[in-house]
């Protein structure tokens, strides 16, 4: 099955700096890569996703890049703010019509943005 | 819309007891799933369903049963609770088969003593 590794496990940055979280996956057939943000005591929420036919996607201060050859993808947050502090999870999925988006998650990155 | 709802929010069980965690969604989503979240281990898939009457195992199915008699409901049953099942359980749903956003419920924090 799919295996997703996520680094680093903790990341501390100063407000206004950029943050980068990296993930690698094992199944070359995976074709969908979402990122979820989970604030303390809350449910995970999707912040951005990318499909395998795209190399990069941006949404305001957040961007995701995908390298299918190397089987890794990264989350980039620019101009970080204290409210960006949370746990971020990457995930990978081999989307099939018969099984939907069965996600395999990384272990998470605790991002702390210091004022 | 209420989205994805879960009950109870908190539960304490003794070893060997059984219980059912409830999950419901009002978005007419075909795909529903159950995850458990343990510190440092991310979210691991327990069971999932692609529609009423269809269920399948995920990564960590042992000790859990599911059924899907309606589109809206997807209960998770713990047959004989063990301390290793102490965790936070999240139910999630998505619009359709394929690559769509999964919406998570608020979670159930379960402690087995």
């Amino acid at each position: 099955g799919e295996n997703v590794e996520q680094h680093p496990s903790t990341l501390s940055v100063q407000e206004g700096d950029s943050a980068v979280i990296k993930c690698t996956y094992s199944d070359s057939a995976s074709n969908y890569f979402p990122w979820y943000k989970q604030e303390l005591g809350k449910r995970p929420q999707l912040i951005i996703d990318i499909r395998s036919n795209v190399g990069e996607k941006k949404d305001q201060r957040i961007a995701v890049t995908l390298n299918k050859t190397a089987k890794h993808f990264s989350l980039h947050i620019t101009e970080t703010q204290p409210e960006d502090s949370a746990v971020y999870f990457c995930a990978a999925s081999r989307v099939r019509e018969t099984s939907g988006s069965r996600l395999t998650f990384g272990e998470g990155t605790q991002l702390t943005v210091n004022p | 819309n209420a989205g994805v709802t879960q009950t109870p929010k908190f539960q304490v069980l003794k070893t060997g007891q059984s219980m059912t965690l409830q999950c419901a969604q009002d978005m007419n989503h075909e795909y529903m799933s159950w995850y458990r979240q343990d510190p440092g281990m991310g979210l691991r898939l327990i069971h999932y369903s692609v529609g009423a009457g269809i269920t399948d195992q995920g990564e960590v199915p042992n000790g859990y049963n599911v059924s899907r008699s309606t589109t809206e409901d997807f209960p998770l049953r713990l047959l004989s609770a063990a301390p290793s099942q102490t965790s936070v359980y999240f139910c999630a749903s998505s619009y359709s088969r394929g690559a769509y956003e999964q919406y998570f419920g608020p979670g159930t924090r379960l402690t087995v003593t």
Side-chain angles (χ1 to χ4, degrees):
Chain A
E2 175 67 276
N3 182 52
V4 177
E5 295 189 355
Q6 183 171 347
H7 300 281
S9 56
T10 61
L11 180 59
S12 182
V13 300
Q14 290 299 120
E15 183 176 358
D17 287 350
S18 295
V20 180
I21 303 170
K22 299 181 179 181
C23 290
T24 60
Y25 61 97
S26 61
D27 186 354
S28 57
S30 287
N31 54 10
Y32 175 61
F33 307 92
W35 287 87
Y36 284 81
K37 175 182 180 182
Q38 186 178 30
E39 297 176 352
L40 187 63
K42 301 288 182 64
R43 71 191 79 187
Q45 291 189 300
L46 181 73
I47 55 171
I48 195 167
D49 58 13
I50 191 168
R51 287 157 174 77
S52 59
N53 58 347
V54 176
E56 183 176 5
K57 183 177 179 181
K58 288 184 179 180
D59 183 3
Q60 299 183 334
R61 297 185 296 108
I62 295 173
V64 58
T65 59
L66 172 65
N67 183 327
K68 288 188 294 183
T69 303
K71 290 191 284 187
H72 67 70
F73 56 112
S74 300
L75 177 71
H76 304 254
I77 306 174
T78 59
E79 301 173 19
T80 54
Q81 302 166 2
E83 51 265 39
D84 294 329
S85 296
V87 178
Y88 291 80
F89 292 98
C90 63
S93 175
R94 182 180 176 184
V95 174
R96 301 182 182 93
E97 278 303 307
T98 56
S99 64
S101 185
R102 175 177 163 165
L103 297 175
T104 300
F105 283 86
E107 294 180 351
T109 296
Q110 172 69 61
L111 173 65
T112 302
V113 180
N114 301 301
Chain B
N1 286 351
V4 181
T5 58
Q6 291 182 238
T7 56
K9 291 185 179 180
F10 302 94
Q11 183 70 50
V12 179
L13 291 178
K14 295 187 187 302
T15 297
Q17 288 184 318
S18 62
M19 79 159 295
T20 299
L21 307 184
Q22 302 292 343
C23 174
Q25 51 89 13
D26 60 0
M27 297 175 281
N28 201 31
H29 287 174
E30 289 184 316
Y31 185 86
M32 296 186 73
S33 53
W34 276 101
Y35 295 88
R36 60 178 288 173
Q37 183 174 33
D38 303 296
M41 298 187 74
L43 293 139
R44 293 183 291 168
L45 182 65
I46 304 171
H47 286 285
Y48 64 98
S49 168
V50 298
I54 307 169
T55 63
D56 205 347
Q57 296 181 350
E59 184 183 351
V60 287
N62 292 341
Y64 308 95
N65 273 358
V66 292
S67 60
R68 184 97 179 268
S69 57
T70 67
T71 300
E72 294 78 19
D73 301 299
F74 190 44
L76 177 72
R77 282 183 287 279
L78 280 69
L79 309 173
S80 177
S84 60
Q85 294 179 304
T86 293
S87 188
V88 179
Y89 291 85
F90 286 99
C91 178
S93 71
S94 67
Y95 276 109
S96 179
R97 305 174 188 189
Y100 292 96
E101 174 179 359
Q102 291 200 21
Y103 293 84
F104 283 82
T108 294
R109 184 174 294 275
L110 176 68
T111 302
V112 183
T113 61

